[in-house]
Amino acid sequence: MLLLAFDTATPAVTAALHDGQGVLAESTTVDARRHGELLMPAVDRVLGEAGVKLDAVTGIVVGVGPGPYTGLRVGLVTAAAFGDALGVPVHGVCTLDGIAYAAGLDEPFVVATDARRKEVYWARYLNARTRVTEAAVDRPAEIAGAVAGLPAVGAGAALYPDVFTDVRPPGHQSAGALAALAALKLAEGEEFLPALPLYLRRPDAQVPAGYKAVLPK
């Protein structure tokens, strides 16, 4: 087994290689505006550090969000292209699940990432492996009762300390943790999500209404 994992659903552009036993190499850069520029160099970096070529990869693991439209699609399109070119399966994993697994908590907690617009993407967990709610997008004040008293991880939680009062690491996604979670799911025969974007809301870009035609009739 040699899994190439990456996630661009958050400001962390992160990639890693995992051989089924452990992480061979990992690269993470936090930059919310350069997903398209940073992902392929990160993949090249982890392949180089591990001393393997791309054609040795046996599976692709990709974070499917939730996340903003522009960043999220970079990872998903890249995963689809790699899967097709290499003839290997593409395994989708909820981005929040990867962060939860990295947290390693054995108690109820919350994962929250920054959804912009003064909102967070979030979900509740029983432990690091068990999500008990669907991923959602809300204003922090609207979910204060649902998360009260629970430890919280993720950069979204750190933005709203009045609501998430017990913030713990990690702040950002780790492709190493995402790959380790996927390796465990494969070993236990668990199903994966399809490699399709989990947006939870419409993109910011909209077709303008009432625009003027510029061509003569």
Side-chain angles (χ1 to χ4, degrees):
M1 178 189 297
L2 185 61
L3 299 175
L4 172 61
F6 46 84
D7 196 328
T8 59
T10 73
V13 180
T14 179
L17 280 171
H18 196 288
D19 66 357
Q21 301 298 318
V23 176
L24 301 180
E26 181 172 5
S27 173
T28 300
T29 302
V30 179
D31 190 325
R33 298 181 181 275
R34 298 174 60 217
H35 296 84
E37 298 174 46
L38 295 171
L39 179 57
M40 286 307 302
V43 170
D44 289 341
R45 195 152 45 243
V46 298
L47 289 169
E49 289 180 8
V52 300
K53 296 187 179 299
L54 183 60
D55 59 9
V57 169
T58 61
I60 305 295
V61 180
V62 63
V64 301
Y69 177 79
T70 303
L72 178 54
R73 67 179 177 174
V74 170
L76 289 166
V77 168
T78 303
F82 279 160
D84 184 62
L86 299 172
V88 299
V90 179
H91 306 297
V93 179
C94 175
T95 294
L96 302 181
D97 290 356
I99 298 173
Y101 189 72
L105 298 177
D106 192 23
E107 61 181 307
F109 68 102
V110 180
V111 175
T113 61
D114 184 14
R116 305 174 187 171
R117 304 184 191 174
K118 298 181 180 180
E119 295 178 329
V120 292
Y121 297 116
W122 71 286
R124 288 179 54 172
Y125 290 78
L126 181 62
N127 52 50
R129 285 276 281 122
T130 309
R131 177 159 43 88
V132 294
T133 66
E134 294 297 324
V137 58
D138 290 290
R139 289 183 177 272
E142 296 170 347
I143 61 172
V147 305
L150 294 176
V153 301
L159 291 173
Y160 304 98
D162 291 344
V163 174
F164 302 99
T165 57
D166 182 8
V167 178
R168 305 183 187 182
H172 294 289
Q173 176 69 292
S174 157
L178 194 73
L181 175 59
L184 183 59
K185 289 169 70 70
L186 284 168
E188 296 181 353
E190 296 183 18
E191 293 185 359
F192 289 86
L193 295 174
L196 299 173
L198 186 60
Y199 291 132
L200 300 187
R201 67 185 183 201
R202 296 179 64 82
D204 292 334
Q206 300 290 334
V207 176
Y211 59 87
K212 294 181 180 180
V214 295
L215 297 176
K217 294 183 179 180

